[in-house]
Each structure stands twice: as structure tokens, then as C-alpha cells.
């Protein structure tokens, strides 16, 4: 048994949902696929899949093998691509995750130029507002905003993101302008979250001035775009990245409040597994973002300095 090939077949079976679908995708014969799965189970001495007439389910041992096999196969691809990268241009598939709004507004518009520059590369962009598990989700590179916990991941700082608070002139004329964070308890706040309840908005740039205000909120949305639209229409005070509302501030559709209480800017990092340190495609993508953002400076416009 070629163990690496058998693991690749096993991963394909799990991803496809059936032996026959995996056989079509590989392509291979159903008999060959079934034989490789049986050989793996015999090799490890345990059942990996529970097969019914309608679906396949992983056993606990199968889940462990699936996660590790994906990681091993990814490492093998990285080795192949890193060696190929020493001989020519970056190539292969690059799977990137990024916060949804940032990905849509600041990354997606750049991909056309990136793909033209590197015609042997393909990109999968995953836009999610949650922490992505790189190995388990087969993500090569993640962009993440905020302080990072200690980990073995390789990191590169790309920029800093400043969170600000703003509201429409109509709302401020109607309800007044907050002079301190505690004043927000008397205002209509618009909160970014999947789960309504109580949010904590942090203020202050250092330990001496740091404070937190519990925001009950009148509107909860898991889309910053929707919150900015609501704020522009007079619904209340919103907390957003400065770069998102640069045009609204410049045109007077939104007004910045509590400026002197804003928290310190949060770093934006690119993260990837140490095993991908030599990846030409990751280096190419990160360098491309840095090149573009240094030139166009989307995170530090004059309005938000």
C-alpha cells in the first residue's frame, strides 16, 4: 500500500461524502477506492468510516486521521511548491481567510492584478468574521486583526486598524454628542455581533486611561456595512474601523465622536503555519498586499489620523 496515496484517497472520500463520488473526482475505480480505505483500516487496526446506504460517517479514529492526513498532505504540497518556487514563479492553490468586510473591500479588488501577475496561481478567499483553524480548515494564510496569543504560528504585521465611533449629524442634533464613554449608556448604540445581549466597548490607549462600557444596544447586526447604513440614517452611534467610513466622514454624512477616548490601534497580521515558511505563493501574496497598501494607505487616511 502506498500510504500517502491511500491517505489522499481517504481525505477525498470524506470531502466527497461517498466512495463513488470520490472515485469520480480522483478519478479512479470504485473498487480501487474501497480497497485503499480497507487497507488503511487494516494498517491502523481500527475502523475509520461507518458506512450506511445513504452516507458515510467518521469514527473518532477516522476524524483524527482525517485532520492529520489533511495536514500531512498540505505539508507535502508545500514542499513540492516551495521546491518548484526556487525554479520559477509561485504556482498552485492558495487558500486565504480574512475578515469579511476587509476581504470584500480591501482584498477582493486587488485579486485581478495579483492573478495577472502570477498566472500559475489560483486563490480561494474565505471571508469569515471568526477565528479560523489553519490546519483543520486547510487555510494556508489568515489575516487577523487584534493582539495575538502566544503560538507557534509565523506572523507578519501588515498594518494597524483604528476603531472609531461616529454618528450622523441628525442623530447628534437630536440626541446630543457624548462627551465621555459613560454617556453612551444614554444613547442608541449600534452593535456588531451575531448574538444580541450586552457588548463591551473598550476605550483608552494605555492602562491608565483604559475603561470598558457595557453597551446594551438598540440594533445588533453581524454586518458592519448594515450598521454604517443605519448610523448614516440617524439610528445611533456605531463603532467601526476608521478606513470603512473615511468617505462618510470626509463628506459630513457621519461625525466622529469620543475621539480622545479611542482605544489604541489594533495590529493586522498575516499568519501561517511554520511548515509553510518557505512557501513562494504565501510570500508573493503577502508582499503584494504590503506593496499595494503602502502605496495607497487605506488604513491611515488624513481624516482618521
Amino acid at each position: 500500500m502506498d500510504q500517502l496515496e491511500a491517505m489522499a484517497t481517504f481525505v477525498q472520500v470524506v470531502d466527497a461524502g461517498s466512495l463513488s463520488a470520490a472515485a469520480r473526482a480522483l478519478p479512479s475505480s470504485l473498487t480501487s477506492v474501497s480497497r485503499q480505505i480497507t487497507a488503511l483500516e487494516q494498517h491502523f487496526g481500527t475502523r475509520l468510516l461507518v458506512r450506511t446506504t445513504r452516507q458515510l460517517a467518521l469514527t473518532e479514529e477516522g476524524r483524527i486521521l482525517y485532520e492529520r492526513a489533511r495536514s500531512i498532505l498540505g505539508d507535502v504540497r508545500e514542499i513540492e511548491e516551495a521546491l518548484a518556487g526556487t525554479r520559477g514563479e509561485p504556482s498552485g492553490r492558495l487558500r486565504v481567510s480574512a475578515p469579511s468586510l476587509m476581504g470584500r473591500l480591501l482584498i477582493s479588488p486587488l485579486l485581478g492584478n495579483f492573478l495577472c501577475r502570477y498566472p500559475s496561481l489560483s486563490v480561494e478567499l474565505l471571508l469569515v468574521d471568526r477565528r479560523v483553524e489553519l490546519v483543520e480548515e486547510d487555510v494556508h494564510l489568515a489575516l487577523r486583526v487584534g493582539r495575538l496569543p502566544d503560538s507557534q504560528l509565523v506572523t507578519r504585521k501588515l498594518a494597524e486598524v483604528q476603531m472609531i465611533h461616529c454618528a450622523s449629524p441628525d442623530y447628534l442634533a437630536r440626541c446630543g454628542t457624548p462627551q465621555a464613554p459613560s454617556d453612551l449608556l444614554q444613547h442608541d448604540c449600534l452593535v456588531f455581533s451575531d448574538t444580541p445581549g450586552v457588548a463591551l466597548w473598550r476605550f483608552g490607549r494605555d492602562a491608565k486611561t483604559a475603561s470598558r462600557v457595557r453597551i446594551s444596544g438598540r440594533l445588533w447586526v453581524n454586518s458592519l456595512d448594515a450598521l454604517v447604513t443605519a448610523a448614516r440614517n440617524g439610528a445611533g452611534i456605531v463603532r467601526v474601523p476608521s478606513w470603512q467610513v473615511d468617505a462618510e466622514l470626509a463628506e459630513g454624512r457621519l461625525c466622529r465622536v469620543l475621539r480622545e477616548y479611542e482605544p489604541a490601534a489594533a495590529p493586522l497580521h498575516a499568519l501561517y503555519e511554520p511548515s509553510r515558511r518557505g512557501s513562494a505563493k504565501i510570500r508573493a501574496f503577502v508582499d503584494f498586499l504590503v506593496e499595494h497598501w503602502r502605496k495607497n494607505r487605506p488604513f491611515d487616511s488624513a481624516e482618521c489620523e
Side-chain angles (χ1 to χ4, degrees), residues 2-207:
D2 183 326
Q3 194 168 343
L4 196 62
E5 181 183 352
M7 285 194 295
T9 299
F10 174 70
V11 168
Q12 183 65 59
V13 167
V14 176
D15 289 343
S18 71
L19 272 67
S20 58
R24 291 191 297 270
L26 285 170
S28 181
S29 69
L30 180 58
T31 300
S32 175
V33 169
S34 180
R35 185 181 300 120
Q36 289 186 77
I37 299 302
T38 300
L40 270 183
E41 291 179 330
Q42 291 174 348
H43 176 78
F44 290 110
T46 187
R47 192 96 174 264
L48 301 175
L49 296 170
V50 177
R51 290 167 245 190
T52 69
T53 56
R54 293 189 175 182
Q55 63 180 3
L56 293 177
L58 285 169
T59 64
E60 180 61 24
E61 293 80 6
R63 183 189 62 78
I64 293 171
L65 177 61
Y66 174 73
E67 292 177 356
R68 297 310 305 157
R70 283 184 64 121
S71 177
I72 291 169
L73 294 169
D75 289 345
V76 171
R77 286 194 299 269
E78 286 298 321
I79 292 171
E80 293 172 343
E81 292 166 5
L83 293 176
T86 64
R87 301 190 298 270
E89 66 179 16
S91 62
R93 177 182 69 104
L94 178 62
R95 185 166 163 85
V96 180
S97 77
S100 57
L101 185 70
M102 182 181 297
R104 185 170 60 81
L105 297 184
L106 298 185
I107 298 176
S108 293
L110 308 181
L111 293 182
N113 287 337
F114 179 75
L115 293 173
C116 287
R117 182 180 296 186
Y118 299 104
S120 297
L121 268 177
S122 62
V123 175
E124 297 177 19
L125 182 59
L126 178 66
L127 303 183
V128 290
D129 295 309
R130 60 174 174 80
R131 183 187 180 91
V132 171
E133 298 298 332
L134 299 183
V135 174
E136 289 81 355
E137 299 183 57
D138 189 30
V139 171
H140 303 135
L141 175 70
L143 271 61
R144 195 169 294 167
V145 178
R147 308 296 169 184
L148 299 175
D150 292 336
S151 74
Q152 299 302 311
L153 296 176
V154 180
T155 65
R156 180 174 174 183
K157 185 177 176 180
L158 304 180
E160 290 192 334
V161 177
Q162 179 66 57
M163 299 299 291
I164 68 171
H165 308 82
C166 48
S168 71
D170 289 344
Y171 174 84
L172 297 176
R174 187 172 71 250
C175 300
T177 300
Q179 301 301 311
S182 58
D183 293 345
L184 293 176
L185 298 176
Q186 310 303 319
H187 279 269
D188 297 333
C189 294
L190 316 178
V191 183
F192 175 76
S193 177
D194 287 317
T195 308
V198 175
L200 287 176
W201 283 5
R202 291 173 172 80
F203 296 87
R205 295 180 178 270
D206 52 50

Side-chain angles (χ1 to χ4, degrees), residues 280-300:
K281 61 187 179 183
I282 288 179
R283 184 171 62 252
F285 189 78
V286 173
D287 287 347
F288 181 84
L289 290 182
V290 171
E291 171 192 330
H292 182 85
W293 288 345
R294 281 180 178 171
K295 178 180 179 181
N296 295 282
R297 304 178 68 84
F299 296 100
D300 54 355

Side-chain angles (χ1 to χ4, degrees), residues 232-273:
R232 201 166 52 231
N233 292 331
I237 298 174
V238 68
R239 177 186 179 96
V240 291
S242 61
W243 57 265
Q244 185 190 357
V245 293
D246 190 36
E248 283 82 357
L249 293 172
E251 295 168 8
R253 289 178 288 168
L254 289 175
C255 300
R256 197 168 172 180
V257 299
L258 299 174
R259 187 168 184 149
E260 62 271 33
Y261 296 97
E262 289 167 359
L268 167 64
H269 286 100
L271 301 87
Y272 52 93
E273 291 287 330

